Amino acid sequence: PKFPQVSWYKKKRNFCSLYPSVSTMLGGWTKCCRIYTERKRWTKQYIMIWFAPSSYSNNKTWKIKIEFIAFDADDTLWENELYFQELEHKFCHLLRKYSPAPSVSEELFKTEIKNLHIYGYGLKGMLLCMIETICKVTNGEGDLNLVKEILRSGQELLQRPITLLDGVQEVISALHENYKLVLATKGDLFDQKRKISASGLQEYFAT
C-alpha cells in the first residue's frame, strides 16, 4: 500500500534527511519516520503510526485504517536538547582552567556513555556524569563550588517552563479529533511527567 509522506518542520533546525520504513508490528503496520538532526549528539525523533489491516478487498489490496499515532516528546513536541547544550557549554566554561572545552566535552561524553546502562537518559543522569567528570578533569582536586554551581544550574533546568515547538498545539489538537494519540518517551520518570503536565498537552494523549 502507498503511505502518506510525512514531514516535520522545526524552527531553527537543519534536517539532513527523512527516512521512512515500514515493518510488521502488533499484527498491523507500523510506519517509522526517523528524523536525523545535525547536532553534536546525533538525535533520533520518531513519529510512529499504527495501521490496523482489515480483510482483503475484491482487488486484493489492503484496506488500511489508521488508529493510533505515537509521538516522541523531547525536541518533537517541545524544546529540550537546546537547554542541554547550554548546560554543557556552561560546564565546559567552568572547567576552562583545568582543560580546554573540547577535551572536557569529550570526557563528559565518554562518562555518559559508560554510565548509560546505570543512569539511563535524562538530566539527573547527566548531572551525575558531570560531577564524575569534574573529579576526572581536576584529578580530584577541584573546587567543590564547581559541583555546587552545576547542581544549581541543573535544578533550574528541571523547573524550566515548557516551550512547545511551532505548530505543535494546532497539530495535536487536530489529530486528536480523529485518532488516538500516544506519547512514547524515555528519560527520568518524574521529569518526563512534569514536562507532560506542564506542556498542556496531556489531555490529548490516550491513558
Side-chain angles (χ1 to χ4, degrees), residues 10-205:
K10 191 187 297 183
K11 187 177 181 182
K12 297 182 181 178
R13 294 287 185 272
N14 295 319
F15 293 101
C16 300
S17 52
L18 179 67
Y19 297 98
S21 64
V22 180
S23 61
T24 303
M25 183 176 183
L26 300 177
W29 291 97
T30 300
K31 182 183 176 76
C32 280
C33 297
R34 302 183 180 184
I35 301 175
Y36 298 86
T37 64
E38 294 176 337
R39 291 180 178 161
K40 177 186 170 186
R41 292 212 175 101
W42 186 67
T43 305
K44 291 181 184 177
Q45 298 161 343
Y46 299 90
I47 302 172
M48 295 188 294
I49 305 176
W50 274 266
F51 296 93
S54 61
S55 58
Y56 279 109
S57 62
N58 293 332
N59 61 1
K60 304 296 184 181
T61 59
W62 285 108
K63 291 180 179 179
I64 297 176
K65 177 185 177 183
I66 299 175
E67 294 186 351
F68 298 87
I69 301 179
F71 288 88
D72 182 26
D74 294 333
D75 296 302
T76 298
L77 301 180
W78 52 70
E79 286 282 7
N80 184 70
E81 179 67 14
L82 177 64
Y83 306 139
F84 276 66
Q85 291 179 357
E86 290 175 351
L87 179 61
E88 181 177 336
H89 178 76
K90 182 174 184 177
F91 176 71
C92 293
H93 183 71
L94 286 172
L95 293 174
R96 64 190 182 281
K97 78 173 186 177
Y98 297 98
S99 185
S103 298
V104 174
S105 182
E106 182 180 357
E107 188 62 44
L108 174 60
F109 182 68
K110 289 179 181 178
T111 304
E112 288 178 313
I113 295 301
K114 177 178 71 72
N115 293 328
L116 187 59
H117 70 290
I118 302 174
Y119 301 147
Y121 296 90
L123 179 58
K124 293 176 184 176
M126 184 179 185
L127 293 175
L128 288 172
C129 289
M130 284 181 166
I131 293 173
E132 182 176 340
T133 302
I134 289 175
C135 295
K136 290 180 180 178
V137 172
T138 66
N139 294 317
E141 299 178 357
D143 189 340
L144 286 178
N145 284 324
L146 294 171
V147 175
K148 182 179 179 180
E149 182 60 25
I150 285 301
L151 289 177
R152 185 189 65 78
S153 298
Q155 290 168 357
E156 288 179 356
L157 185 49
L158 283 169
Q159 301 175 70
R160 191 180 187 123
I162 297 301
T163 302
L164 295 180
L165 297 172
D166 293 343
V168 164
Q169 181 76 48
E170 294 79 5
V171 170
I172 295 298
S173 179
L175 291 174
H176 180 257
E177 296 178 2
N178 299 299
Y179 308 101
K180 294 180 180 179
L181 305 185
V182 177
L183 194 61
T185 183
K186 62 182 181 291
D188 180 80
L189 178 61
F190 291 103
D191 191 29
Q192 294 304 86
K193 283 185 173 181
R194 178 194 69 83
K195 292 178 187 176
I196 295 167
S197 177
S199 71
L201 300 176
Q202 188 170 0
E203 62 180 294
Y204 296 111
F205 292 95

